[in-house]
Amino acid sequence: MSYLGRFRVWRGDSGEGSLQDFEVEVNEGEVVLDVIHRLQATQTPDLAVRWNCKAGKCGSCSAEINGKPRLLCMTRMSTFAEDETVTVTPVRTFPVIRDLVTDVSFNYEKARQIPAFDGGDTAPGDFRMQQIDVERSQEFRKCIECFLCNNVCHVIRDHEENEPKFAGPRFLMRIAELEMHPADVQDRREIAQNDHGLGLCNITKCCTEVCPEHIKITDNALIPMKERVVGKKYDPLVWLGSKLGIV
Ligand code: SF4
Ligand code: F3S
Ligand code: FES
């Protein structure tokens, strides 16, 4: 079964652009990316869209569909009524290069700023990882780096001026993963709070809501990280220890 779907797609570059209306065939079982590809094949050969796997695993096809951050390849057309206009726009937080393609280099810059895993003097074979620790980091490792969480977080979505001091949920989660790793010897609480803006997160949980991998970013990474920072700041023994230089 197929029908003629109504689509409104943002077209333009970093200078200017507008929403353009199209009518395009939609077939049973298709996802939004299929329809965007049909648009390219039949009406707009120069429409720019970034994609790669078409399986929800590469994180390339992030966009906003009817204003909601989503993956184009994982959003089924059956989600919408046949007479509904489906509006597809580029992710809003990052600068547009052309049409649906944005410049997400902000995220790669932040990734480079996070100090890597540091196992200290532990020699290979000396440390045995417990299953509970494996499972904890396994959840965070499901991340496909679609950056929908960083796109939706109001701290930078509505306040560009926060970008230098906020790594976004994706990379605060990376810091939390390393902080919780039993074999990592670095104390990551200071950099999370002071360099990467953990304190700017006010737990709105929008990041968790949009994550296509259903990672509980807020509950399992950001809140535990905040608790660790608070523990360091307000625990009188930790405070005394820091004054004496022993913690
Ligand atoms: Fe995407 Fe989820 Fe990873 Fe954020 S945490 S980049 S939303 S997969
Ligand atoms: Fe932003 Fe997620 Fe915190 S959306 S405010 S990082 S809970
Ligand atoms: Fe790879 Fe959509 S094309 S996640």
Side-chain angles (χ1 to χ4, degrees):
M1 263 207 352
S2 66
Y3 63 93
L4 210 54
R6 285 206 297 269
F7 265 68
R8 185 167 289 167
V9 182
W10 198 89
R11 304 224 48 202
D13 56 24
S14 56
E16 55 184 36
S18 62
L19 288 167
Q20 292 181 14
D21 290 319
F22 300 96
E23 284 196 333
V24 56
E25 181 189 322
V26 179
N27 297 310
E28 198 174 349
E30 287 186 334
V31 293
V32 174
L33 186 60
D34 290 315
V35 182
I36 294 289
H37 283 159
R38 184 164 301 113
L39 257 184
Q40 281 181 322
T42 57
Q43 304 178 48
T44 56
D46 60 339
L47 172 65
V49 59
R50 187 187 282 131
W51 70 284
N52 208 321
C53 68
K54 204 168 172 279
K57 286 296 160 223
C58 72
S60 309
C61 66
S62 300
E64 302 198 3
I65 304 174
N66 291 350
K68 285 181 103 176
R70 309 187 73 147
L71 295 178
L72 293 173
C73 74
M74 295 304 283
T75 307
R76 292 191 171 279
M77 283 305 300
S78 56
T79 323
F80 312 103
E82 290 188 6
D83 59 355
E84 190 176 347
T85 300
V86 179
T87 303
V88 186
T89 48
V91 290
R92 203 183 88 193
T93 301
F94 307 121
V96 170
I97 298 174
R98 196 157 71 83
D99 301 335
L100 301 176
V101 177
T102 51
D103 176 359
V104 291
S105 49
F106 163 86
N107 299 285
Y108 300 114
E109 280 157 28
K110 294 294 173 184
R112 275 195 291 273
Q113 291 166 12
I114 312 292
F117 172 80
D118 179 358
D121 297 330
T122 313
D126 277 2
F127 181 79
R128 182 160 299 194
M129 192 95 167
Q130 299 295 310
Q131 186 59 27
I132 191 170
D133 294 318
V134 174
E135 280 159 13
R136 190 185 294 123
S137 60
Q138 199 84 349
E139 180 187 15
F140 306 142
R141 293 242 150 199
K142 287 194 302 177
C143 174
I144 58 168
E145 302 221 310
C146 64
F147 305 128
L148 286 176
C149 55
N150 278 8
N151 166 58
V152 84
C153 178
H154 69 98
V155 174
I156 46 174
R157 188 173 174 96
D158 300 330
H159 300 278
E160 207 179 321
E161 69 278 10
N162 284 335
E163 284 187 7
K165 50 180 188 255
F166 188 64
R170 195 286 166 247
F171 297 107
L172 288 168
M173 179 176 86
R174 172 72 182 143
I175 298 172
E177 179 193 340
L178 290 165
E179 173 68 21
M180 292 174 198
H181 195 300
D184 184 90
V185 297
Q186 286 197 22
D187 183 345
R188 305 197 178 245
R189 294 173 291 185
E190 297 262 348
I191 63 153
Q193 190 70 5
N194 301 337
D195 302 341
H196 296 290
L198 181 66
L200 292 172
C201 162
N202 56 349
I203 319 183
T204 59
K205 297 197 178 185
C206 308
C207 51
T208 302
E209 273 173 35
V210 300
C211 178
E213 285 294 320
H214 308 292
I215 303 171
K216 292 196 170 67
I217 308 169
T218 322
D219 287 353
N220 291 350
L222 306 183
I223 293 174
M225 197 64 206
K226 278 174 177 284
E227 286 169 351
R228 285 174 184 230
V229 169
V230 169
K232 180 179 166 89
K233 253 182 163 168
Y234 298 113
D235 184 321
L237 286 177
V238 174
W239 178 83
L240 185 62
S242 71
K243 291 291 161 203
L244 298 172
I246 53 175
V247 289

